[in-house]
RNA sequence: GGGGGCGUAGCUCAGUUGGUUAGAGCGCUAGCCUGUCACGCUAGAGGUCGCGGGUUCGAGCCCCGUCGCUCCCGCCA
């Protein structure tokens, strides 16, 4: 790496580094002396004349040197991504050489002096251009990746979105609080990140999975509308839409509210932020409320992508006792078995249906039955093996039920809904994608409501909490307290006052009206088989607080990273997080996690026991 | 913990049925070029084909194992 000698500045009145940013100069500045600092984005050396695109956070300005300029010799030594200071005269570009793609494209800086502030070695990854690079290289050299336009813009947009959220929350009367980062491990939920205590041998802090208990305690403390852009920590495996380790939530909680009050407070904030940053893409004007059960039946998931117009239907009636023996027997054998239809408008070709069938087999399914409809002698008839066995009359009934026509198809899944629902949902998504039915240019929101409170655990033959054990059951308190724990039917049909916001198939958040009554909570846990003593032991602080005057309260916690991801049009959270970890929860740039010194371990009363050496 | 995909030059990738000295673009080095903005032209350097083993006269290519990255399942109240 060479450092060309810096030429001492002759313009002592100027700022040490710049009079303008690289995005500032316009035609009106022609004739002035300017000083710019930035990175050599792109260098074009024509021998006689040499162009440097100088880039900083604000933009790009073209710098020109020719053999007449004093700094030509220095200019020739510059390489990509060197950081330099440039002095020169702002002048108009010659006629016909203006660059309309650049805000500064009418002018250029004719260089008089160049000072190298920070030279760069050969780059592991160029900053210029928009080529894809491997994740590990990108993460190891995150600071280079962040110089690139796309990521740089994403991070800026992230900040602007968070600003907008704060503004909107405060306008709704919410107040921002800070809750502890070092707290206690909680037995419920995800795996905790633990921090060993130096002063208390053998004891650990945990990083909060969410400020859940704190925000409830803030309500018990008599504050009314809490929010926080809250860091959350969970030691679970990553997904494209689930960062390993840490992420941020717009955490909020309100006192004396019903579900409707929470919706009325949150929906305008989320909708407003999306409208502000969606770049003109339409946003659902009023979020529809879809009961959990309906979401499962129509979309095969509790986070439906409503941009996909396909809605499934239960068509068991049509197959019951029909000539299509495979399904008829399945329905015969079990009262809870069903056949669901997945309409595929425009999918009416044997080639498409066969392709979907092989896809299903690739997913480990026996196959995907189908009928496709075609015109024949003026009538629309069903084709394929299912239609042949089902017969004309029932096939026609299907066609009418599902409003299908010439050129359409329908696929079928059969069996016990609880075992096939996930696959049915995947098939609905796949069909929608393959047929191009999903309008990517919009944001489709919905609330998912009425989550079941409990579910049957077939493995352990017991009743479990279905989702959040601290949600209020949707039943008058007296009735709930009077429940007979053996009335399995009634208990399994109970719903919790719990809700999710879903956008384009991404679960943005879940929330609930909390269970603020110790007696109801004890009953709720008793139903799930937790003895009162255990509850007292694990959640004594919370129970105690709730027993000394707790207001009814509820809230929700939309994921900031996911909101930003959707608004940036990205499919992976790493594209909207400043310094993300890889899938194995490593920070390749900082080298985290890392080994620590024996002294540190001793102070923390920790001994590392490696697998197979104990 | 399980399954899929990928791994060839600093980077992005090609590489036929297993067959001579493994190629291209970008980047890098040297030279030429006075109006480019993905500048152009010429030449050059740069390779343990992730790693280990096997099959074969012969392996980048086939087989087994292993490691890394990634996507998914489990998990994430």
């Amino acid at each position: 790496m060479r450092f060309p000698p810096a030429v001492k500045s002759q313009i002592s009145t100027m700022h040490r580094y710049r009079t303008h940013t690289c995005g500032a100069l316009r035609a009106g500045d022609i004739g002035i002396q300017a000083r710019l600092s930035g990175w050599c984005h792109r260098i074009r050396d024509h021998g006689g004349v040499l162009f440097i695109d100088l880039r900083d956070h604000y933009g790009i300005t073209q710098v020109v040197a020719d053999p007449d300029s004093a700094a030509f010799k220095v200019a020739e030594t510059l390489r990509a991504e060197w950081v330099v200071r440039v002095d020169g005269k702002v002048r108009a570009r010659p006629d016909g050489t203006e660059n309309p793609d650049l805000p500064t494209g009418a002018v250029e800086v004719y260089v008089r002096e160049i000072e190298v502030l920070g030279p760069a070695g050969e780059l592991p990854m160029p900053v210029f251009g928009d080529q894809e690079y491997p994740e590990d290289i990108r993460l190891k050299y995150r600071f280079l990746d962040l110089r690139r336009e796309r990521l740089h813009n994403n991070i800026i947009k992230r900040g602007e979105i968070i600003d907008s959220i704060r503004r909107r929350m405060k306008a709704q009367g919410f107040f921002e609080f800070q809750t502890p980062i070092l707290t206690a491990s909680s037995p419920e939920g995800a795996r905790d990140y633990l921090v060993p205590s130096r002063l208390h041998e053998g004891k650990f802090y945990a990083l909060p999975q969410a400020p859940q208990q704190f925000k409830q305690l803030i309500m018990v403390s008599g504050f009314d509308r809490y929010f926080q852009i809250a860091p959350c920590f969970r030691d679970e495996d990553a997904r494209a839409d689930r960062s390993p380790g840490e992420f941020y939530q717009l955490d909020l909680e309100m006192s004396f509210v019903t579900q409707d009050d929470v919706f009325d407070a949150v929906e305008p904030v989320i909708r407003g932020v999306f409208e502000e940053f969606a770049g003109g893409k339409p946003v659902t004007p009023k979020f529809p409320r879809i009961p959990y059960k309906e979401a499962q039946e129509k979309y095969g998931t509790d986070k439906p992508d409503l941009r996909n117009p396909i809605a499934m239907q239960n068509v068991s009636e049509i197959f019951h006792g029909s000539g299509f023996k495979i399904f008829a027997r399945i329905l015969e054998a079990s009262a809870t078995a069903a056949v669901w239809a997945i309409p595929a408008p425009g999918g009416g070709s044997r080639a498409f249906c066969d392709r979907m069938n092989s896809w299903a087999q690739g997913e480990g399914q026996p196959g995907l039955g189908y009928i496709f409809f075609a015109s024949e002698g003026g009538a629309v008839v069903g084709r394929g093996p299912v239609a042949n066995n089902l017969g004309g009359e029932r096939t026609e009934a299907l066609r009418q039920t599902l409003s299908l026509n010439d050129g359409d198809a329908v696929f079928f899944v059969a069996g016990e809904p609880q075992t096939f629902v996930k696959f049915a949902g995947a098939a609905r998504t796949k069909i929608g994608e393959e047929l191009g039915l999903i309008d990517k240019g919009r944001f489709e929101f919905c609330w998912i409501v009425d989550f079941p409170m409990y579910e049957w655990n077939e493995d352990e033959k017991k009743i479990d909490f279905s989702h959040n054990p601290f949600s209020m059951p949707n039943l008058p308190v007296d009735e709930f307290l009077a429940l007979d724990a053996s009335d399995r039917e009634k208990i399994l049909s109970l719903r919790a006052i719990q809700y999710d916001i879903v956008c384009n198939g991404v679960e943005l958040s879940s929330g609930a009206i909390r269970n603020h009554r110790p007696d109801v909570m004890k009953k709720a846990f008793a139903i799930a088989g937790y003895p009162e003593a255990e509850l007292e032991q694990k959640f004594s602080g919370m129970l105690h607080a709730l027993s000394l005057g707790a207001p009814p309260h509820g809230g929700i916690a939309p994921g900031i990273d996911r909101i930003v991801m959707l608004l940036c049009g990205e499919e992976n959270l790493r594209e909207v997080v400043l310094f993300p970890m890889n899938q194995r929860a490593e920070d390749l740039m900082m080298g985290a996690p890392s080994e620590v010194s024996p002294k540190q371990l001793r102070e923390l009363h920790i001994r590392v026991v490696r697998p197979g050496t104990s």
Side-chain angles (χ1 to χ4, degrees), chain A residues 331-481:
Chain A
L331 293 169
E332 203 79 23
S334 156
T336 52
V339 178
W340 287 9
I342 312 169
S349 76
R350 191 177 297 274
F352 175 73
C353 292
D354 282 343
R355 188 146 50 88
M356 288 307 301
N357 189 47
S358 355
W359 167 80
Q361 286 166 350
E363 296 287 298
Q365 299 293 322
L368 196 54
Y370 60 82
I371 295 175
F372 62 99
F373 294 95
S375 271
E376 195 176 282
V380 178
V381 297
R383 297 245 174 85
V386 177
N388 294 342
N389 287 299
L390 196 60
E393 206 170 299
R394 288 180 189 246
T395 301
E396 178 60 16
L398 255 177
R399 193 184 71 78
Q400 301 219 358
T401 303
L402 301 167
S403 310
L404 295 173
N405 253 307
D406 179 20
D408 296 340
V410 55
F411 294 88
F412 303 101
V413 288
E416 297 298 330
Q418 60 186 39
T419 60
F420 73 56
V421 63
K422 197 161 194 166
F423 167 70
R428 170 182 175 269
T429 301
K430 179 79 177 170
I431 291 164
E433 278 172 358
E434 293 280 325
L435 295 175
L437 302 175
I438 298 167
D439 176 4
K440 305 270 189 195
R442 52 194 311 114
F443 292 103
E444 288 287 350
F445 281 89
C446 62
W447 291 100
I448 305 295
V449 297
D450 294 340
F451 281 82
M453 181 88 187
Y454 296 103
E455 65 189 13
W456 181 247
N457 183 332
E458 186 55 40
D459 294 340
E460 295 175 37
K461 305 286 181 204
K462 67 181 275 280
I463 289 171
D464 272 350
F465 285 112
S466 183
H467 295 88
N468 184 337
F470 300 105
S471 305
M472 197 60 129
N474 194 357
L475 204 66
V477 166
D478 294 346
E479 263 184 69
F480 184 79
L481 292 174

Side-chain angles (χ1 to χ4, degrees), chain A residues 22-23 25-26 41 44 52-55 58-63 93 97-108 149:
Chain A
C22 293
L25 295 172
R26 295 291 186 276
H41 188 61
R44 296 176 294 281
I52 302 162
D53 289 339
L54 198 64
R55 182 199 75 238
Y58 305 93
I60 287 179
T61 299
Q62 175 165 282
V63 172
R93 294 200 190 188
T97 64
E98 300 91 348
N99 186 346
D101 298 332
L102 234 47
T104 62
V107 300
E108 61 193 13
E149 197 174 8

